[in-house]
């Protein structure tokens, strides 16, 4: 399908509805991250369990309402789904660990490295042709990531517990972005043969089971408030996934994707008013560079007619 056919497909849709749903989904994912941060120092595997298990509830309700529940798990590629799930749950665990160690704005902004790494990995592992303009945007974006990360990474040398925690948080966030980029490539392969509902449900179930395997590594008893925060984060994750998927039914990916970056504004606002986190100049400058590079890549891919909308529909952010 060429770009003209894609645009024709959405000609009778409402782009404003798509944009609204996308922005609401971004706000829901920021709420998810905020609830996880509010829960405090809970082990990452335990967070992943609550995030995955309770995300299944709104997904099952939607599938039942659409009369798709019986067919949701039917697949001829269970191994591919499990592999994608294990990679995805690793990314989630690293991302949630970063959330417990970093201010909310930095944890969210560092996740923007993921689309940059998708371009790199697509060229290295999938043989995708990436030309000078996109390589330049990737390099500029990664410079922005270095600007955000460098002050925290240098804390490894100061010997303080807080400094080491923040440095570990940045390291985990960057690893999460890299592993998430690999998950994106696996999803791209699945969307050629699998339904969105099948990919999302298999991922949630695989993540839940995999998270249970971390119990021997030290889950902690939760207070009522912590349990409520983690259950709420799971429900927000499921609802956000549904809203994000629905947004792409109303407008092309090139119209919707740039609004992903509203999470930076929301993250700064929530971080300041709820957690008292002030974004550093490094976060603001580096984040602006990363966002600019990401927007350029989206624009360039739209011009080149690259089809990544389906993968975006079913990939849950960290």
């Amino acid at each position: 399908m060429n770009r003209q056919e894609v645009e024709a497909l959405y000609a009778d849709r409402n782009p404003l509805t798509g944009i609204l749903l996308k922005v609401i989904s971004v706000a829901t994912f920021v709420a998810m991250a905020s609830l996880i941060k509010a829960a405090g120092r809970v082990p990452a595997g335990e967070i992943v369990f609550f995030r995955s298990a309770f995300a299944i509830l709104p997904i099952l309700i939607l599938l039942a309402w659409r009369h798709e529940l019986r067919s949701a798990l039917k697949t001829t590629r269970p191994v591919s789904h499990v592999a994608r799930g294990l990679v995805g749950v690793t990314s989630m665990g690293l991302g949630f660990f970063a959330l417990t160690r970093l201010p909310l704005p930095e944890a969210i902004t560092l996740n923007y490295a993921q689309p940059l790494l998708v371009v790199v990995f697509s060229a290295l592992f999938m043989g995708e042709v990436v030309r000078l303009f996109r390589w330049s945007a990737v390099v500029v974006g990664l410079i922005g990531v270095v600007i955000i990360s460098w002050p925290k990474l240098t804390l490894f040398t100061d010997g303080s517990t807080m400094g080491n925690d923040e440095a570990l948080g940045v390291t985990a966030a960057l690893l999460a972005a890299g592993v998430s980029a690999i998950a994106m490539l696996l999803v791209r392969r699945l969307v050629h043969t699998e339904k969105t509902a099948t990919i999302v449900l298999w991922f949630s179930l695989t993540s839940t089971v995999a998270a249970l395997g971390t119990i021997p590594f030290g889950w902690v008893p939760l207070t009522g408030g912590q349990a409520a925060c983690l259950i709420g984060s799971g429900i927000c994750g499921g609802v956000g996934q549904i809203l994000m998927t629905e947004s792409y039914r109303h407008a092309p990916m090139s119209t919707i994707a740039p609004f992903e970056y509203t999470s930076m504004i929301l993250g700064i606002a929530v971080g300041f008013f709820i957690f008292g986190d002030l974004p550093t100049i490094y976060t603001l400058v580096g984040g602006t560079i990363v966002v600019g590079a990401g927007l350029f890549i989206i624009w360039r891919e739209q011009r080149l007619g690259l089809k990544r909308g389906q993968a975006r529909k079913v990939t849950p952010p960290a």
Side-chain angles (χ1 to χ4, degrees), residues 112-121 134-135 137-143 145 181 261 290 293-294 297:
Y112 296 156
Q114 187 241 42
L116 304 175
L117 295 175
V118 167
V119 176
V120 176
F121 293 165
R134 281 195 293 159
W135 276 126
V138 168
V139 171
V140 171
L142 291 178
I143 290 173
V145 172
Y261 294 109
V290 175
I297 289 173

Side-chain angles (χ1 to χ4, degrees), residues 3 115-116 118-120 122 128-130 133-134 138 184 188 253-254 257 293-309 312:
R3 185 160 62 89
L116 304 175
V118 167
V119 176
V120 176
S122 295
E128 185 175 297
V129 177
V130 178
F133 285 111
R134 281 195 293 159
V138 168
M184 174 77 80
R188 282 195 198 168
M253 177 262 195
S254 57
L295 290 174
F296 179 83
I297 289 173
I298 291 170
W299 173 80
R300 186 64 180 173
E301 289 181 349
Q302 192 271 336
R303 290 291 301 269
L304 295 173
L306 298 179
K307 309 303 187 294
R308 290 189 176 149
R312 289 289 186 104

Side-chain angles (χ1 to χ4, degrees), residues 5-84:
E5 289 173 324
V6 172
E7 297 296 335
L9 178 64
Y10 291 103
D12 60 342
R13 304 296 177 88
N14 188 344
L16 291 179
T17 299
I19 291 169
L20 179 62
L21 289 171
K22 177 64 175 179
V23 172
I24 296 174
S25 78
V26 169
T28 305
F29 282 124
V30 171
M32 179 198 77
S34 302
L35 287 168
I36 290 171
K37 187 166 182 61
R41 293 292 185 91
V42 178
E46 196 168 354
I47 299 173
V48 170
F49 171 78
F50 279 89
R51 160 64 178 88
S52 302
F54 287 93
I56 295 173
L57 180 60
I59 294 170
L60 290 178
I61 292 173
L62 178 65
L63 292 174
W65 180 64
R66 290 180 172 176
H67 306 289
E68 297 176 356
L69 197 55
R70 290 185 177 181
S71 62
L73 284 175
K74 289 183 178 179
T75 180
T76 58
R77 304 176 63 186
V79 175
S80 296
H81 282 287
V82 171
R84 178 266 185 276

Side-chain angles (χ1 to χ4, degrees), residues 105-221:
E106 290 183 24
I108 289 176
T109 305
L110 284 170
N111 193 49
Y112 296 156
Q114 187 241 42
L116 304 175
L117 295 175
V118 167
V119 176
V120 176
F121 293 165
S122 295
L124 294 177
F125 304 128
M126 299 186 71
E128 185 175 297
V129 177
V130 178
R131 302 191 187 281
L132 180 61
F133 285 111
R134 281 195 293 159
W135 276 126
S136 300
V138 168
V139 171
V140 171
L142 291 178
I143 290 173
V145 172
V146 171
I147 291 173
I148 300 168
S149 307
W150 189 252
K152 302 294 185 186
L153 292 177
T154 56
L155 293 176
F156 271 128
T157 62
D158 77 353
S160 69
T161 301
M162 181 176 294
N164 285 339
D165 274 355
E166 291 191 344
L168 286 171
V170 168
T171 303
L174 295 176
L175 288 173
V179 178
S180 179
I182 295 172
M184 174 77 80
L185 301 186
L186 295 175
V187 170
R188 282 195 198 168
R189 293 181 177 178
L190 284 170
V191 296
H192 294 301
T193 59
E194 307 293 290
K195 295 183 297 185
T196 297
T198 302
I199 297 173
V200 171
L201 193 53
W202 268 90
F203 172 75
S204 296
L205 292 172
T206 303
S207 300
T208 301
V209 174
L212 287 173
T214 66
I215 291 177
F217 297 97
W219 283 23
V220 298

